[in-house]
Amino acid sequence: MRTVKLIRVTAEAPAVKSFAFNDELCSKAEPGQFVMVWIPGVDEVPMSLSLLNSRGQAAITAEGVGEATEALHNMKAGYTIGVRGPFGNNYTISRASKVMIVGGGTGLASLAPLAEKLTKEGTKITFLMGAKTKSGLLFHVRIGNVLSKAKGRLIAATEDGSYGQRSLVTKSAEKLFKQGEKFNMIYTCGPEKMMVKMLHLAQEFHVPFEASLERFMRCAIGLCGTCAIGKYRVCQDGPIFSGQQLLEVEDEFGCWRRGSDGRKTKV
Ligand SMILES: Cc1cc2nc3c(=O)[nH]c(=O)nc-3n(C[C@H](O)[C@H](O)[C@H](O)COP(=O)(O)OP(=O)(O)OC[C@H]3O[C@@H](n4cnc5c(N)ncnc54)[C@H](O)[C@@H]3O)c2cc1C
Ligand code: FES
């Protein structure tokens, strides 16, 4: 584990903050990879890298949901955290094709660096982001700027209609397919029910698919088994899984996960 000092803390949404730090290894990670973040005296939790920057900087973006993430939210620039990693696989980079990216909540953390990398490769992106309300549309401006330089398209969907389409983001995606739009790849990260729906659309319209999964993690190096989904360990075999792999574990994906005590809970 390496200790790093926070160089910047940015509020992204009412309960979501980004934490930037200098770390060469993390800054060179691939979109989709994650780190184990140690919050001194509290806990160690997995977080996607939300910024990968050529100046040696990286960042994580955390929603305050419990003990560790609330403690992280109380930290300021100059505070010290620990990082292990980067771990896990990464999104496959499809060159010069037409892709759909669908994200919601803190799932957008790993999708923002993906969009940045894909635009450099000349990939045409339709990015759909969803939230309950406008303030939950993370990285809306950052992703919009990246896409506008590369003739990409950003479609926002909010459940209350406060911004973009008044719709579930999966409904907005389905509409594009039903209008006859073709894509060479779907990438998704966010609430598991959303990703399940996107997997079904990928099957129906015969599009290759990748989703980033979250499971409870302890070791992050394939030893403890707490992150298992079927025959896979999310920390080592994932966190990115193909549609084919997820169909093999469809009795678990979108249905249940194990908690810190190993018991199954509904997703
Ligand atoms: C690969 C990966 C990448 C992740 N990336 C992000 C990210 O970019 N931003 C973000 O905000 N969150 C991310 N998470 C989820 C994050 O790790 C948990 O929200 C965090 O561990 C909660 O810790 P806590 O002590 O604050 O909450 P707790 O009090 O422990 O729990 C609060 C809630 O979070 C869930 N949770 C707790 N620990 C985990 C865990 N290790 N994995 C998944 N869910 C958990 C619990 O089931 C509970 O519903 C990621 C998880 C994984 C596995
Ligand atoms: S977290 Fe220990 S095996 Fe994945």
Side-chain angles (χ1 to χ4, degrees):
M1 191 199 64
R2 308 175 299 280
T3 53
V4 294
K5 269 206 165 72
L6 297 176
I7 54 171
R8 202 169 49 250
V9 178
T10 315
E12 306 283 4
V16 183
K17 288 183 183 175
S18 290
F19 303 84
F21 53 90
N22 287 315
D23 183 73
E24 280 295 323
L25 277 178
C26 288
S27 73
K28 291 189 179 124
E30 294 293 330
Q33 289 194 287
F34 71 94
V35 279
M36 291 301 283
V37 179
W38 175 61
I39 299 119
V42 186
D43 202 356
E44 194 192 35
V45 291
M47 287 284 150
S48 300
L49 287 160
S50 58
L51 175 76
L52 308 166
N53 146 333
S54 53
R55 297 188 300 278
Q57 290 180 5
I60 50 163
T61 299
E63 181 170 8
V65 293
E67 200 188 0
T69 47
E70 293 294 357
L72 190 59
H73 271 233
N74 289 330
M75 292 186 148
K76 299 182 177 67
Y79 282 43
T80 299
I81 57 169
V83 289
R84 277 199 296 137
F87 294 120
N89 63 358
N90 51 272
Y91 296 107
T92 308
I93 300 301
S94 331
R95 290 189 170 80
S97 56
K98 199 178 166 207
V99 307
M100 173 185 271
I101 303 180
V102 182
T106 51
L108 291 160
S110 73
L111 295 174
L114 172 67
E116 284 161 353
K117 179 131 190 183
L118 286 171
T119 52
K120 284 189 195 137
E121 302 291 339
T123 305
K124 199 154 180 254
I125 302 173
T126 296
F127 199 123
L128 294 105
M129 59 168 67
K132 284 197 169 56
T133 188
K134 184 183 174 188
S135 61
L137 293 168
L138 292 187
F139 306 124
H140 177 247
V141 174
R142 172 178 162 192
I143 292 170
N145 286 341
V146 170
L147 296 182
S148 64
K149 285 181 203 139
K151 296 203 178 100
R153 176 169 49 159
L154 177 62
I155 299 172
T158 52
E159 287 174 40
D160 65 359
S162 53
Y163 193 84
Q165 301 179 359
R166 184 187 195 128
S167 160
L168 288 175
V169 69
T170 48
K171 284 271 173 221
S172 299
E174 188 171 11
K175 206 164 128 194
L176 295 182
F177 283 112
K178 292 207 163 146
Q179 285 166 353
E181 290 213 31
K182 300 267 185 281
F183 297 93
N184 308 109
M185 183 71 162
I186 296 173
Y187 301 97
T188 185
C189 186
E192 209 154 302
K193 297 281 185 208
M194 179 198 86
M195 296 197 287
V196 169
K197 175 67 187 167
M198 289 312 305
L199 174 60
H200 294 158
L201 285 175
Q203 280 181 282
E204 186 181 344
F205 293 96
H206 310 289
V207 189
F209 175 89
E210 285 186 358
S212 178
L213 264 58
E214 283 188 10
R215 284 294 179 272
F216 190 83
M217 286 184 185
R218 282 193 211 284
C219 71
I221 53 171
L223 296 175
C224 71
T226 55
C227 66
I229 176 166
K231 63 182 181 184
Y232 297 114
R233 287 157 304 172
V234 173
C235 68
Q236 282 237 303
D237 303 311
I240 316 298
F241 290 90
S242 68
Q244 192 52 46
Q245 288 174 308
L246 293 172
L247 288 173
E248 289 166 6
V249 294
E250 63 182 340
D251 54 335
E252 293 190 38
F253 178 51
C255 304
W256 58 266
R257 56 161 70 189
R258 290 191 190 278
S260 56
D261 56 2
R263 284 195 201 145
K264 289 180 182 179
T265 51
K266 279 198 174 164
V267 168

